[in-house]
Amino acid sequence: RFDESTVASRKGSLAPSPPPSVKGIGKKVAKPDYSEQKIVVAMVGLPARGKSYLSNKLMIYLRWLEYDVKVFNVGQLRRTKARQRAQQLGIKEMHNADFFSHSNAQATQSRDSLAEESLETLIQWLKEGGNVGIHDATNSTKSRRAKIEARIAKEKGMTLIFLESLCDDPGTIAANVELKVSQGDPDYKDMSPDDARRDFLRRISEYEKVYETITEPHLSYLRIKNVGEEVDLSRINGYLSSRIAFYLMNLHIRPRSIFFSRHGESQYNVEGKIGGDSLLSPRGMQYAKALPALITDNIGEKPLTVWTSTLKRTIQTSQYLPYTKLTWKSLDELDAGVCDAMTYEEIEQAYPDDSANRDEDKFNYRYRGGESYRDVVVRLEPVIMELERQENILIIGHQAILRCLYAYFHHLQQADLPYIKIPLHTVIKLTPKAYGCDEERYTLPINAVDTHRPKPKGAKQPEVHSTTRRKYYVEADNEMKPVV
Ligand code: ATP
Ligand code: F6P
C-alpha cells in the first residue's frame, strides 16, 4: 500500500502490509496517521519475570515503526509518590517485602490504588493521541484483571490485551534476581546486595501466595512461558494486536552478538556516486580478504550466519567468510530513484529543490522514483523480526540500511537516524543486554573514502523519544534513562 508502486515492485516488497501510507516524492512526507489505534497492554507476572524487559522491548519496536507508545510503570509511580510524601510530610515509607504482602490490608489497598492511578494516566494519554499504553505492573490476580477490564470497557475504541510472563526456570529467575540486586534497582539502592537479595526473594514469595495465572476464557491474552519455550495466544485480533503478539513470540534472551559491516569500499564510493551495483575497489577487496580473520577471532567456535543484500558489493565482501550466507532483497541500499548513480553535486545541480528538502528533513525525504529512510524502516521490519529470532548474525549491508537497523538497537530518534556514522571498513558489534546493547567497533587499517555527510544547520531537530545507550531504567517521568 505504498503510494508509489515503484517502491514496492523494485524492492520485491518483503515489507509487511504497512500501516497507513505516506505521501510525497522528492519532498518531505507526512507522518502516518495512527490515531485510530488504541491498545492497552497490561502486563501480568510475578516479580523478576521480565515484565519491564518485555514492556520496553515492545515499546522500542513499536516506536521504531512510528507508533506512539509509552510504558506506565507502577513501581516508578509508587516510588515517586513515596518521595513526594517524604518531602512534604517528612514520613519515609519502607517498601520492603512486607509492603507486598496480601495480608497487609493497608498496603494492598495502597498498591491497588497506585495501579488504578497509573491506569487512569495511561487512559488519558491514549485519549490525547497515544496508540499503545503498556501497564507495567504485576496484575497477578483475577480480581485486579477484572477491574482493568471493567475500566477499559468504559472507553470506546480501546482494546485490552494481557501479556503474561510465566517462568519457573530457577536459572532464569536467579539471573533476573541478581540483575535487580546488582544493577541498581531503585528499590534497593540503599541496601547491601545480601539484604536486597533476601528482601526481593521474600517479595516474590509474597506474590506467589496469591498469584493466579490467566484462565479467564473471555480475555485477550498472550502468555509467554519460560522465555518463549511455549506461547499461548487467546482472542488476539486485528492488525496491530497481531503484530504485537508476533513480535513478542519471537523474542529470546540467549546470549549472542549482532555484527554490522558495510561492504568494502566500492568503485562508486571512490567516484562519489550513490546507489548503483558496482564492484569493490582494490581497497574494498583488501577489506573483504581481511574480514574473516576479524570475525573468526571475535566469534571463535560459535555458529554465525552472514546476511548480505542482493547487490554485488555486499556479496563480494562476504566471499571469503567461512559461514552460511543468506541474501536478502530487503537489505538492498535505499533506492535513490532518478538520482541513482549520481554524485551529490550532480543531484544538487539537477534537482536543487529536492536537495534542499532532503537537507531539511532527511528521514522523510523520498527520492523521485525511489525511497525515503521511512520507507526503508518499513521494509526492514521483517529483518528486525528475524534478527530477534536468530542468534549470532553478521550483516554485510549498506550505509542507510545499517543506520536504520542500528537505530532500532540503540533506540535513536528518527531525525538523527540518517546521520548515524557507519564508516566503511569498520565492524560494529552489538551485544544485547537486559536493558540495552553493548557496542564495540573494530576499524581495519585499510583506508576508504568517507561517505558520511554531516547534518546541515537548520535540519529538523529531534522530536520526542530519547536516549541512546540503556543500561537500566531509573525514575524520570516514566522514561528510561541510562544510569551514569
Ligand atoms: P519487577 O516486577 O520486579 O519489576 P520484572 O518482571 O519487571 O520485575 P524485569 O526487571 O523486566 O522483571 O527482569 C529483567 C530480566 O528478565 C532480564 O534479565 C531479562 O533477560 C529477563 N527476561 C526477559 N524476558 C523474560 C521472560 N519472558 N521471562 C523471564 N525473564 C525474562
Ligand atoms: O554513498 C554510499 C551510500 O550507500 C549510497 O548508495 C546511498 O544512497 C547513501 O550511502 C545513503 O546515505 P545518505 O542517506 O547519507 O545519502
Side-chain angles (χ1 to χ4, degrees), residues 230-455:
E230 210 179 306
V231 177
D232 301 330
L233 278 180
S234 186
R235 297 179 182 274
I236 303 284
N237 305 304
Y239 176 79
L240 185 54
S241 303
S242 311
R243 287 227 73 77
I244 290 174
F246 187 50
Y247 175 73
L248 293 165
M249 284 165 72
N250 283 307
L251 295 179
H252 72 79
I253 54 169
R254 292 184 293 281
R256 49 94 172 246
S257 289
I258 296 160
F259 299 86
F260 292 153
S261 167
R262 284 174 70 187
H263 51 79
E265 183 189 67
S266 71
Q267 285 164 7
Y268 266 27
N269 290 149
V270 176
E271 292 164 35
K273 292 179 179 171
I274 66 167
D277 193 11
S278 68
L279 294 171
L280 298 185
S281 72
R283 294 190 301 197
M285 277 306 295
Q286 277 182 43
Y287 180 72
K289 287 182 183 149
L291 191 56
L294 171 63
I295 300 295
T296 44
D297 277 0
N298 214 288
I299 195 89
E301 296 297 307
K302 288 182 239 137
L304 174 87
T305 307
V306 180
W307 294 354
T308 67
S309 73
T310 65
L311 298 172
K312 291 187 197 114
R313 54 194 185 277
T314 63
I315 295 172
Q316 247 189 319
T317 307
S318 74
Q319 67 186 306
Y320 302 111
L321 287 160
Y323 303 104
T324 306
K325 290 165 215 160
L326 293 174
T327 57
W328 284 73
K329 184 85 181 141
S330 294
L331 287 175
D332 283 2
E333 181 55 311
L334 182 147
D335 183 351
V338 296
C339 297
D340 191 67
M342 292 169 83
T343 65
Y344 290 111
E345 292 71 28
E346 287 165 350
I347 298 171
E348 169 84 53
Q349 283 199 344
Y351 306 105
D353 289 350
D354 287 29
S355 275
N357 281 331
R358 190 162 202 250
D359 279 351
E360 193 201 314
D361 187 355
K362 195 172 172 188
F363 183 81
N364 288 308
Y365 168 86
R366 177 182 284 158
Y367 280 107
R368 293 167 185 268
E371 292 176 296
S372 64
Y373 272 88
R374 165 171 284 145
D375 294 331
V376 172
V377 163
V378 172
R379 90 163 134 95
L380 283 174
E381 201 264 0
V383 175
I384 287 295
M385 199 66 89
E386 194 54 25
L387 270 177
E388 289 293 2
R389 282 162 41 77
Q390 294 292 334
E391 302 208 349
N392 299 308
I393 297 287
L394 162 62
I395 300 185
I396 301 187
H398 303 268
Q399 180 160 248
I401 299 300
L402 294 179
R403 281 176 176 155
C404 294
L405 297 174
Y406 184 92
Y408 168 79
F409 284 102
H410 278 320
H411 193 203
L412 301 179
Q413 303 176 63
Q414 284 176 354
D416 292 331
L417 182 158
Y419 298 99
I420 296 168
K421 285 192 177 153
I422 313 277
L424 288 166
H425 299 180
T426 300
V427 172
I428 300 174
K429 178 183 181 185
L430 299 180
T431 305
K433 290 282 156 74
Y435 296 105
C437 270
D438 285 353
E439 174 176 329
E440 289 158 60
R441 287 191 178 218
Y442 305 89
T443 302
L444 282 175
I446 301 167
N447 286 341
V449 294
D450 181 2
T451 60
H452 183 263
R453 308 179 79 226
K455 193 172 194 169

